[in-house]
Amino acid sequence: MRTAIVGGGAAGFFLAINLKELCPQMEVTIFEKSKKVLAKVEVSGGGRCNCTNSFESVSDLSQVYPRGHRLMKRLFKAFDYHDAYAWFERHGVRLVTQDDDCVFPASQDSHTIINLFLAEARRHHIDICTQSKIESLDQLSEFDYIAITTGGMPKAHDSLFTFHHSLFTPPVPSLFTFSIEDEALHALMGTVVEDATAFIPGTNFRATGPLLITHWGMSGPAILKLSSYAARELHDHNYQMPLAINWISGKVAGNQEAVKEEIIKLQAQSAMLKVSKVRPFDLPSRLWSYLLEKALGERAQNRWQNLNKKELNRLVNILCNDSYQIAGRAAFKDEFVTCGGIDLSTINPHTLESKDIPNLYFAGEVLDIDGITGGFNFQAAWTTAYTVAKAISHTT
Ligand SMILES: Cc1cc2nc3c(=O)[nH]c(=O)nc-3n(C[C@H](O)[C@H](O)[C@H](O)COP(=O)(O)OP(=O)(O)OC[C@H]3O[C@@H](n4cnc5c(N)ncnc54)[C@H](O)[C@@H]3O)c2cc1C
């Protein structure tokens, strides 16, 4: 029996190796269109490969898989992050889990994963054909099984997918940073607020976490998560949407009333001091000055006792609901994935086999599954690839 795997990336290699482990008599060939296999693994996680996550802080998979969380929950029963962790360690790659739950090879080098995959492929006599772009399934007619692992940004008009035209959720980018046209904000470049909430007013899209101000706008986990949650809506609005930031969501629980109480207390305690001299909620000083200027203008030079009710309200509002306009999307060099791909309703959720074409399977980012940053995308590649390997091995 012969299996063709189209795409020599993370999912393609993991599928090939697991298939050979489960079914040693299977002949497996990987077709890769470019000269080099595993190119994304090499650059992933800044060259360190954030290969999975401990999921310790994840209470609901929809928090980390905006698309595909139901299917991932089902597939995790057979192969989850514990299994991925154990798989790599069993194959000689020692892993470490960081305080932020991200898992990396202890070597801190993505080549450890690449070398493992290449060595296993050699050991199992997996054929690797580079510079072999598959344009049509007809090219693979002598194979018994075909697995498509071609990664993100598939194009519906790509000849490889002509059979699947109507079964395709159009791919759009996910995990990017926001351009914001505000020079005073750009001047705060490098400022980090550890626990902010970014949200799109009038929608349910909101994300909490560290927020980084850059020389083009905003980045950091809170913004990347928001870009992932709202990937399609942002695309549909040409990356021009309102954005609001709660700069102190990690400091004051509750609504604006609770924040107002804190500010009124502060006013009483610091009545004689200049507003700019008293920095509440441990906000970085440059950010505090910027927010004061935005809320109070010249009045920011006043003493606390001179602020009237309206000004206090403006201050509270800017701390909890500071508004911006997203002017565009900027690349995030550490990770970039696709929202969209093969519609999950068109595949068997147990095997990831096409419902229309027998013996045709899909794994990895080509599926309409994508995660936020933190190792969740590779975990989706390992889980879906393992599922397909197992499904093919069960049919033989
Ligand atoms: C810069 C960067 C850093 C990242 N860092 C991380 C990280 O640290 N942690 C994490 O979890 N995720 C990370 N990701 C996301 C992760 O790399 C992807 O989710 C993952 O690589 C998807 O694996 P895949 O095998 O499905 O696709 P890919 O890795 O993209 O592999 C697909 C392969 O198929 C080939 N191909 C495409 N079409 C054809 C064709 N017609 N014929 C033959 N071959 C074809 C492509 O050339 C490619 O080699 C990062 C992504 C980027 C861009």
Side-chain angles (χ1 to χ4, degrees), residues 48-66:
R48 297 190 300 137
C49 187
N50 178 191
C51 55
T52 185
N53 190 285
S54 70
F55 282 71
E56 291 232 329
S57 318
V58 181
S59 53
D60 179 343
L61 285 187
S62 65
Q63 295 164 355
V64 293
Y65 291 111

Side-chain angles (χ1 to χ4, degrees), residues 7 10-11 32-33 40 44-45 50 134 151 334-335 365 375 377-378:
E32 166 56 48
K33 71 175 177 189
K40 269 201 205 168
S44 66
N50 178 191
I134 300 301
D334 282 351
E335 190 164 343
E365 212 182 307
N377 285 299
F378 277 136

Side-chain angles (χ1 to χ4, degrees), residues 50 53 64 100 102 174-176 220-222 224-225 227-228 332 334-337 371-377:
N50 178 191
N53 190 285
V64 293
D100 62 1
C102 294
S174 180
L175 295 179
F176 45 85
L224 293 167
K225 262 194 264 179
S227 79
S228 172
F332 175 54
D334 282 351
E335 190 164 343
F336 180 82
V337 295
I372 61 170
T373 56
F376 302 106
N377 285 299

Side-chain angles (χ1 to χ4, degrees), residues 1-19:
M1 297 293 246
R2 302 182 69 194
T3 296
I5 296 176
V6 186
F13 270 81
F14 203 72
L15 200 170
I17 296 163
N18 278 285
L19 182 54

